[in-house]
Amino acid sequence: MGSQAAQNGQVKGKSDLKPQSKVHNVDFPSRVKRSTPTGTMLLVILRLADIAWQYMLSSRWGRVPIEAAGGQISSVAQQNTTGPFLGLQPYYFGLLVCAIGASYKQIVWVIFTSEQECPPQAAIMIGVFNTVFNSINALLSLWSWSSAATNDPLGSTAFLLGGGLFGLGIFFEQVSEIQRKSFKSDPKNKGKPYAGGLFSIALNINYGGYTLWRAGYAMLAAGYFWGAFIGVFFFYDFYARALPILDKYCIERYGDAFLEQRRKVPYRLIPGIY
């Protein structure tokens, strides 16, 4: 469980990242490792339900609050009931694919790759959190003032760049966590930190991956500004909240071995950026 110095709280090189406030000192999800089948199943149900919810927002329900507030629906959204993909136009089907991909990734995480507990209250928080962000994307994509909708999505730079960021982010997050799970499953690696595979190019590349796919999803929905805002929002949250807490946990658990890995790995979140 780390070096003797770590156990005595004397490890040098503690995280240079400090939580910015009491809010930033909240560690989520839990670091407790145990099976929680009820919470796991609840999260799976919530993430599957989100796919249906996002479809209904794009095809029918989303226009109701926008029009009730005096807003106008984008011209592309007005054609959604006659589109070629489940009634959706290609652009809105692309957004639905993002919702499907995000749910798939998180279902794989909670069933196969995560070792931490996921009690029902945590499952509800994760499910609601992601559905809220997805729903905001859906509503912004329908509102004519903010929508990036186009009848030719493959000719839209924002659509292609957003889709690329989404795919790259899902890849980074999903593959890195599978690689780490494989390492942790080998008994000879018990008590060792992992910095192989994708984690060798960014120490917290799974967090970076989440940031990228969230930014890409937002860009598809409402263009460059919204995509950049969401990317900065999650980048700052990981930088100011998650990384300091995770550093403290890893230093206490792994001691000098973690500090050495942190020294060797060139980036923390996103390769080439930070």
Side-chain angles (χ1 to χ4, degrees):
M1 296 292 290
S3 67
Q4 185 63 41
Q7 294 173 27
N8 292 336
Q10 299 171 347
V11 173
K12 295 181 179 180
K14 290 183 180 180
S15 175
D16 53 354
L17 302 172
K18 304 296 184 183
Q20 303 298 308
S21 67
K22 291 182 179 180
V23 173
H24 290 105
N25 204 33
V26 175
D27 191 12
F28 188 80
S30 168
R31 302 289 170 194
V32 177
K33 297 181 178 181
R34 67 184 180 95
S35 175
T36 48
T38 301
T40 296
M41 182 57 65
L42 178 58
L43 182 56
V44 170
I45 292 171
L46 289 173
R47 300 310 293 129
L48 289 174
D50 181 63
I51 297 173
W53 173 252
Q54 298 308 319
Y55 172 75
M56 295 305 298
L57 280 179
S58 291
S59 61
R60 293 178 178 83
W61 298 341
R63 64 179 58 205
V64 174
I66 294 173
E67 292 176 339
Q72 293 184 338
I73 301 301
S74 76
S75 59
V76 180
Q78 292 173 14
Q79 308 168 47
N80 258 345
T81 56
T82 59
F85 302 102
L86 301 175
L88 300 176
Q89 294 298 316
Y91 165 83
Y92 287 99
F93 183 72
L95 283 181
L96 181 62
V97 169
C98 287
I100 294 170
S103 290
Y104 164 79
K105 190 274 145 196
Q106 290 170 335
I107 288 171
V108 170
W109 168 76
V110 76
I111 293 178
F112 299 109
T113 61
S114 176
E115 296 180 329
Q116 286 93 355
E117 65 177 358
C118 184
Q121 61 269 33
I124 292 171
M125 288 180 64
I126 294 170
V128 170
F129 179 86
N130 282 278
T131 292
V132 166
F133 273 91
N134 292 355
S135 299
I136 293 172
N137 285 339
L139 293 174
L140 290 177
S141 75
L142 293 168
W143 187 18
S144 61
W145 183 82
S146 56
S147 177
T150 171
N151 283 314
D152 181 23
L154 296 182
S156 166
T157 304
F159 186 90
L160 295 177
L161 179 58
L165 287 174
F166 180 86
L168 183 63
I170 289 289
F171 173 82
F172 278 165
E173 189 179 8
Q174 182 85 87
V175 173
S176 66
E177 290 176 347
I178 291 173
Q179 291 173 333
R180 182 177 59 189
K181 175 67 172 180
S182 177
F183 175 85
K184 295 286 188 180
S185 296
D186 189 337
K188 70 181 181 182
N189 295 323
K190 184 177 181 180
K192 298 179 182 179
Y194 178 63
L198 290 174
F199 283 101
S200 68
I201 56 176
L203 198 60
N204 305 101
I205 197 167
N206 53 333
Y207 290 172
Y210 186 89
T211 301
L212 288 176
W213 73 253
R214 270 287 163 212
Y217 193 167
M219 189 179 296
L220 261 73
Y224 299 114
F225 178 81
W226 180 240
F229 175 81
I230 291 297
V232 169
F233 173 84
F234 281 105
F235 184 93
Y236 177 76
D237 177 64
F238 286 129
Y239 171 81
R241 178 190 60 83
L243 293 188
I245 293 171
L246 186 58
D247 274 8
K248 181 177 184 295
Y249 169 82
C250 288
I251 289 171
E252 292 175 350
R253 180 173 175 82
Y254 301 114
D256 294 333
F258 170 73
L259 293 173
E260 179 65 13
Q261 287 186 346
R262 194 178 67 177
R263 184 184 67 81
K264 289 182 177 180
V265 177
Y267 297 100
R268 292 303 305 264
L269 288 171
I270 302 173
I273 297 178
Y274 174 76

